[in-house]
């Protein structure tokens, strides 16, 4: 299994999902070798064996460098595009680049590459190098696994390389797509190309919701027969009975997630402004960081609600649980959310939740209140009802808690195991 992060060091929901999934797979008698770019050494290995790609040298795996690169289908992803060249000039440039790739590879051959495991400016370079190291790891352990599982576009090249060099079936897991992260005219074409290639070369594609499955089929042109939706679950260990001391008597409404376009933070702010005009005993919290944080701070100031609106920055671990414990209402107003684990985490701590109809988890949650992300009036009405009518809040909290408690990773992992078996059986035909 190729991932990019694993608790306790995570930047988002991907690492959390990998953690829950691997524990669920272990409960279903599936042994997992979990490969990540940069392990810290304090990861929980109770359900997995973690392989740190930064500890692995790219070694001989075939007779010649050219043969290895051919099998891995290594792609050098440059940042400089070359427009306005003739087909002949382009062919020459590509050939020169190919020779340079081989020469660079000879220099690095037998060396270890220290991955950051972050999402920095050299992310594309790390993705490409991860494919090379991934191929080496796959060959070293080829007798220990039956199937390859690659999570999200960051690891698709590594999954493809491992498939090509071992002949084992590949399952890619789509946790989000370019169409979720940005509007159609702002899509990163490099990421889109990697996503497309990963889905096309995979033997099976797992989507985290029917919403995401439809995007894979309709936007990426993937054969519907090989795309299977498996909803996420939540790991609930140690989340109940957390007691925190509240510093204010006011009710607290919380947004927790990346402060970026996809998550709809501006709609949360607009709804907050409407509520603050109607209630004087409520505060709003935006917990998270992202590229829209400064814009959101200015938006709050412009609306004149700064005295009732708080920004916490990025929260992790127990701080997330404390935030839920302090909250009276949780809201996820995402514009496009492939699944969305945070409402399940909130509901598990008895916090009544409001989610957008444009989220994958809306497919399986009956006791979260659902509104369109753009309908700030409906959003404000839902918040108002949960804050001012204790019976509604109490019922939503209790029924929501009971509902998400039934969503177990062991059940989700059993479905993933079935997908593995389909991929293995198809390869034998």
């Amino acid at each position: 299994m190729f991932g990019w992060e694993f608790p306790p060091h995570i930047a988002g929901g991907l690492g959390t999902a990998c953690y829950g999934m691997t524990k669920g797979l272990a409960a279903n008698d599936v042994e997992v070798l979990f490969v990540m770019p940069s392990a810290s050494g304090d990861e929980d290995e109770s359900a997995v064996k973690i392989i740190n790609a930064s500890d692995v040298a790219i070694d001989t795996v075939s007779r010649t460098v050219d043969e290895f690169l051919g099998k891995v289908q290594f792609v050098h992803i440059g940042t400089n595009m070359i427009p306005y060249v003739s087909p002949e000039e382009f062919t020459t440039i590509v050939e020169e680049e190919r020779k340079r790739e081989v020469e660079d590879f000879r220099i690095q051959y037998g060396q270890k590459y220290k991955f950051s495991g972050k999402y920095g400016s050299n992310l594309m370079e790390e993705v490409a190098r991860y494919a090379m190291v991934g191929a080496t790891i796959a060959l070293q352990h080829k007798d220990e696994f039956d199937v390859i599982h690659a999570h999200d576009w960051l690891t698709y090249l590594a999954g493809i390389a491992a498939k090509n060099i071992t002949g084992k079936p590949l399952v890619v897991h789509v946790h989000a797509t370019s169409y979720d992260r940005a509007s159609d005219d702002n899509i990163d074409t490099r990421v889109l190309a990697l996503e497309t290639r990963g889905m096309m070369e995979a033997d099976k594609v797992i989507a985290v919701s029917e919403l995401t499955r439809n995007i894979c089929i309709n936007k990426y042109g993937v054969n519907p027969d090989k795309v299977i939706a498996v909803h996420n679950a939540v790991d609930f260990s140690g989340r109940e009975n957390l007691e925190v001391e509240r510093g204010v008597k006011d009710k607290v409404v919380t947004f927790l997630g990346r402060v970026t376009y996809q998550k709809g933070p501006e709609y949360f702010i607009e709804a907050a402004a409407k509520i603050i005009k109607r209630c004087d005993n409520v505060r709003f919290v935006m917990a998270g960081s992202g590229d829209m944080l400064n814009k959101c701070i200015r938006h709050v100031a412009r609306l004149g609600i700064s005295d009732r609106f708080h920004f916490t920055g990025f929260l992790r671990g127990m701080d997330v649980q404390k935030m839920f414990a302090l909250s009276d209402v949780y809201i996820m107003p995402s514009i496009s959310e492939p699944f969305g684990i945070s409402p399940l985490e909130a509901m598990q701590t008895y916090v009544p939740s409001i989610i957008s109809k444009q989220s994958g988890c809306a497919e399986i949650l009956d006791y979260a209140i659902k509104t369109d992300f753009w309908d700030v009036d409906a959003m404000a009405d839902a918040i108002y009802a949960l804050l001012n009518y204790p019976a509604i809040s109490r019922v939503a909290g209790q029924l929501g808690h009971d509902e998400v408690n039934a969503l177990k990773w062991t059940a989700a992992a059993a479905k993933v195991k079935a997908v593995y078996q389909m991929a293995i059986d198809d390869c034998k035909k």
Side-chain angles (χ1 to χ4, degrees):
M1 183 177 287
F2 291 103
W4 200 258
E5 57 181 39
F6 201 81
H9 307 285
I10 59 172
L14 181 59
T16 303
C18 287
Y19 181 61
M21 181 64 66
T22 53
K23 288 181 74 175
L25 287 168
N28 281 277
D29 299 318
V30 177
E31 295 180 21
V32 179
L33 298 173
F34 190 88
V35 185
M36 59 190 300
S38 180
S40 301
D42 56 353
E43 289 82 9
D44 180 359
E45 293 193 60
S46 59
V48 297
K49 175 185 175 184
I50 288 181
I51 300 174
N52 183 4
S54 294
D55 289 341
V56 179
I58 302 172
D59 64 14
T60 335
V61 306
S62 4
R63 288 186 299 277
T64 68
V65 173
D66 294 286
E67 182 184 347
F68 178 72
L69 287 175
K71 284 185 177 178
V72 172
Q73 293 185 349
F74 171 59
V75 177
H76 180 79
I77 307 166
T79 54
N80 299 316
M81 298 293 103
I82 310 170
Y84 312 123
V85 296
S86 69
E88 293 77 16
E89 289 173 312
F90 183 77
T91 301
T92 302
I93 290 169
V94 169
E95 183 57 32
E96 288 174 353
E97 177 69 6
R98 176 72 178 178
K99 290 177 181 176
R100 192 190 62 73
E101 277 183 20
V102 173
E103 190 57 36
D104 283 353
F105 189 83
R106 288 185 193 281
I107 294 168
Q108 298 156 7
Y109 203 61
Q111 302 298 310
K112 295 177 183 177
Y113 179 78
K114 187 65 179 173
F115 293 92
S116 70
K118 306 295 184 187
Y119 301 88
S121 58
N122 67 333
L123 180 58
M124 285 298 180
E125 179 188 350
E126 293 216 329
V127 166
R129 289 183 184 271
Y130 189 44
M132 300 168 76
V133 179
T136 295
I137 292 170
L139 205 66
Q140 289 173 347
H141 296 271
K142 69 175 181 177
D143 295 330
E144 300 175 46
F145 65 89
D146 304 288
V147 66
I148 302 153
H149 187 157
H151 288 280
D152 232 8
W153 68 269
L154 296 153
T155 74
Y156 288 172
L157 276 186
I160 293 168
K163 173 183 175 176
N164 289 345
I165 213 158
T166 65
K168 303 289 180 74
L170 170 65
V171 174
V172 302
H173 206 135
V174 183
H175 295 265
T177 71
S178 289
Y179 296 96
D180 299 305
R181 288 183 285 265
S183 57
D184 283 7
D185 55 349
N186 284 318
I187 284 176
D188 187 327
T189 54
R190 299 170 303 170
V191 175
L192 183 67
L194 289 176
E195 290 172 336
T196 303
R197 184 173 170 190
M199 292 184 213
M200 289 301 179
E201 298 208 24
D203 296 281
K204 294 292 180 185
V205 176
I206 296 175
V208 293
S209 61
E210 292 293 343
L211 177 79
T212 302
R213 180 177 183 270
N214 288 332
I215 291 174
C216 293
I217 294 165
N218 298 321
K219 295 282 192 179
Y220 292 84
V222 184
N223 181 347
D225 293 339
K226 77 173 189 180
V227 190
I228 298 104
V230 178
H231 292 103
N232 284 334
V234 180
D235 178 23
F236 296 126
S237 56
R239 290 194 180 160
E240 297 187 73
N241 306 318
L242 179 65
E243 293 185 10
V244 293
E245 185 176 340
R246 295 181 67 134
V248 294
K249 294 182 179 179
D250 295 340
K251 297 291 182 68
V252 176
V253 181
T254 299
F255 167 108
L256 190 148
R258 283 180 294 113
V259 186
T260 192
Y261 165 83
Q262 173 194 352
K263 301 294 184 178
E266 292 179 296
Y267 298 101
F268 174 68
I269 293 169
E270 291 290 342
K274 290 179 178 292
I275 291 295
I276 288 169
K277 288 179 181 177
R278 299 164 69 182
C279 305
D280 57 5
N281 65 333
V282 60
R283 294 173 184 267
F284 290 81
V285 175
M286 184 168 283
S289 59
D291 58 355
M292 284 183 63
L293 181 58
N294 290 335
K295 184 178 181 181
C296 287
I297 292 171
R298 291 194 298 269
H299 192 176
V300 167
R302 212 165 35 244
L303 291 171
I305 58 174
S306 299
D307 60 328
R308 294 272 166 182
F309 207 104
H310 308 271
F311 295 89
T312 69
F314 182 74
L315 300 182
R316 71 176 75 243
M318 193 52 66
D319 287 336
V320 172
Q321 306 316 316
K322 288 178 181 176
M323 192 66 250
F324 286 136
L326 289 167
S327 301
D328 297 282
V329 176
Y330 177 76
I331 183 162
M332 185 183 74
S334 297
I335 293 170
S336 179
E337 186 71 49
F339 185 76
I341 283 181
S342 54
L344 279 69
E345 295 176 315
M347 292 165 72
Q348 204 277 333
T349 54
Y350 295 94
V351 181
S353 298
I354 302 165
I355 61 177
S356 73
K357 294 177 181 177
Q358 293 73 26
S359 59
C361 63
E363 298 169 9
I364 59 170
L365 294 177
D366 292 328
Y367 295 106
I369 297 174
K370 300 160 194 170
T371 70
D372 288 302
F373 72 85
W374 44 263
D375 195 343
V376 292
D377 289 317
M379 210 179 289
D381 287 342
I383 295 170
Y384 184 87
L386 290 170
L387 291 177
N388 291 282
Y389 297 98
I392 295 176
S393 178
R394 186 169 58 253
V395 170
Q398 182 62 58
L399 292 178
H401 169 269
D402 295 345
E403 180 173 49
V404 299
N405 258 0
L407 301 174
K408 305 291 187 185
W409 271 119
T410 48
K415 295 177 182 177
V416 170
K417 183 180 179 180
V419 175
Y420 291 164
Q421 193 60 56
M422 284 188 279
I424 292 166
D425 291 345
D426 286 351
C427 285
K428 291 178 180 177
K429 292 179 181 177

